[in-house]
């Protein structure tokens, strides 16, 4: 089986092993089954009771997809959304107690009310009983400062867990807005950060920068570029991935108060060549990535597989979509749900951009393909 050794971080040796047809060891296959079609650049996916789905479209629409694949009309009640470029309506998750409160959370590009500009914002809402509108909509976080940009919004939401149980807070990834990348190293703004807030938008007292002069209290970690994937392992460990510049996409495990280096250190380079920042890959006081890709795969979406629907060898694997190369990446770890990356496998190599991946209540994987005629796919064991 051929293998390729990628450029090495000094703290780890990582082999990417691909077998024939893009698969490595344990060559289980999957059979994509179209659940719904005709979605315009779908971005985020959440699961509703009775086999329904909640799907965002980047253009600024939120839809319920029925269990039979019927795509509903856009839901009424969304706030103003600045849709353009990379911005629009992005991620969505349902509350742990959705069956009782019908509450969910979503993030989007929020236009300024005056003076121009936009930023990533997160809101909560209640889905009406007839699945046609949003009620009780409230923005619970708004990235500061607003800035005129159509790039690097980040915008993945997860519910944080402690000792394996939800702790009542939300973690949200925020991009550096591209031309404001130097802000990622400063604590007086939300660019290039992970933030943590309560479900009502309040700041948890145990956030790492609470009470620190000149630092925004919502910040959880900093020194990030553009994170479009996030997941929580069963043990509560928080995982993210982010787009590098040219090369250097990363997987990180953001810890409270830690600095992840962008744009001072990176395994990538400027578009067209040339060093970024100090031209270093590691530096004291800055956390190295768990894993990086060179060349970039343009990752989006992230999920752990906890079920055994695809066999025991897949249980505990990490799944990440590739926008650039159009495949779903199955990532084997040295231990289930933890450890280092030991092997990667390409699935669904059909050229479709994979925007999101989630494990459904049935234990199967679901993906969204990013195109003007995007699809919601269910992955059946092959």
């Amino acid at each position: 089986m051929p293998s390729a050794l990628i450029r090495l971080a000094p703290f780890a040796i990582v082999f990417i092993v691909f077998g024939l047809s893009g698969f490595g060891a344990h060559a289980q296959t999957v059979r994509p089954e179209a659940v719904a079609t005709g979605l315009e650049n779908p971005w985020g996916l959440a699961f509703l009771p009775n086999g329904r789905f909640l799907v965002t479209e980047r253009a600024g629409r939120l839809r319920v997809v029925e269990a039979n694949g019927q795509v509903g009309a856009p839901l009424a009640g969304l706030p103003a959304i600045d849709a353009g470029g990379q911005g629009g309506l992005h991620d969505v998750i349902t509350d742990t107690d959705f069956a009782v409160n019908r509450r969910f959370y979503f993030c989007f590009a929020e236009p300024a009310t005056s003076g121009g500009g936009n930023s990533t914002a997160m809101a909560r809402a209640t889905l009406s009983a007839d699945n046609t509108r949003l009620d009780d909509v409230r923005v619970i976080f708004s990235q500061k400062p607003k800035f005129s940009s159509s790039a690097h919004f980040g915008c993945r939401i997860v519910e944080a867990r402690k000792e394996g149980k939800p702790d009542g807070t939300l973690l949200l990834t925020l991009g550096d807005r591209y031309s404001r990348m130097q802000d990622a190293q400063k604590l007086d703004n939300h660019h290039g950060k992970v933030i943590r807030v309560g479900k009502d938008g309040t700041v948890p007292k145990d956030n790492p920068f609470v009470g620190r002069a000149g630092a925004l209290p919502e910040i959880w970690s900093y020194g990030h570029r553009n994170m479009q994937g996030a997941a929580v392992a069963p043990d509560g460990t928080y995982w993210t991935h982010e787009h590098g510049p040219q090369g250097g996409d990363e997987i990180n495990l953001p810890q409270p108060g830690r600095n992840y280096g962008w744009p001072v250190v990176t395994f990538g380079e400027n578009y067209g060549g040339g060093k970024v920042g100090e031209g270093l890959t590691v530096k004291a006081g800055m956390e190295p990535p768990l894993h990086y890709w060179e060349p970039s795969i343009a990752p989006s979406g992230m999920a752990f597989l906890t079920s055994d629907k695809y066999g025991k060898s897949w249980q505990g694997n990490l799944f990440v979509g590739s926008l650039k190369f159009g495949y779903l990446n199955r990532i084997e770890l040295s231990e289930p749900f933890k450890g280092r990356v030991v092997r990667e496998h390409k699935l669904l190599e059909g050229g479709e951009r994979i925007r999101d991946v989630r494990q459904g209540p049935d234990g199967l994987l679901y993906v969204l393909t990013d195109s003007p005629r995007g699809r919601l796919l269910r992955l059946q064991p092959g």
Side-chain angles (χ1 to χ4, degrees), residues 153-198:
F153 291 88
C155 211
R156 286 291 181 193
I157 312 167
V158 299
E159 191 166 353
R161 302 176 72 89
K162 187 175 182 179
E163 298 177 353
K165 298 179 180 179
D167 73 354
T169 68
L170 302 172
L171 291 159
L172 171 67
T173 67
L174 300 172
D176 67 352
R177 311 310 315 281
Y178 189 68
S179 59
R180 295 292 295 264
M181 65 182 183
Q182 301 300 332
D183 285 357
Q185 286 295 313
K186 303 171 185 176
L187 297 174
D188 62 353
N189 66 83
H190 294 128
H191 296 155
K193 311 297 194 299
V194 172
I195 63 101
R196 176 174 175 253
V197 295

Side-chain angles (χ1 to χ4, degrees), residues 158-167 171 230-240 251-255 290 302-306 315-319 333 335-339 359:
V158 299
E159 191 166 353
R161 302 176 72 89
K162 187 175 182 179
E163 298 177 353
K165 298 179 180 179
D167 73 354
L171 291 159
V232 175
D235 66 358
T237 304
Y238 178 51
W239 294 58
T240 64
I251 295 176
N252 289 297
L253 279 65
Q255 299 292 312
L290 174 76
M302 193 178 207
F304 280 104
L305 182 69
T306 62
Q315 208 167 15
N317 286 189
L318 187 66
F319 291 79
L333 303 170
E335 299 179 60
F337 310 109
K338 63 178 65 176
Q359 179 180 295

Side-chain angles (χ1 to χ4, degrees), residues 28-34 310 348 365 377-382:
Q28 166 71 283
T29 61
V30 292
R31 177 171 51 87
E33 173 185 76
Y310 306 92
L348 305 181
L365 293 169
L377 303 176
R378 180 188 292 118
L379 304 188
Q380 296 287 1

Side-chain angles (χ1 to χ4, degrees), residues 206-209 219-221 253-260:
D206 60 346
N207 268 9
F209 296 109
I219 296 173
W220 175 258
S221 62
L253 279 65
Q255 299 292 312
R258 302 285 181 86
N259 180 356
Y260 289 82

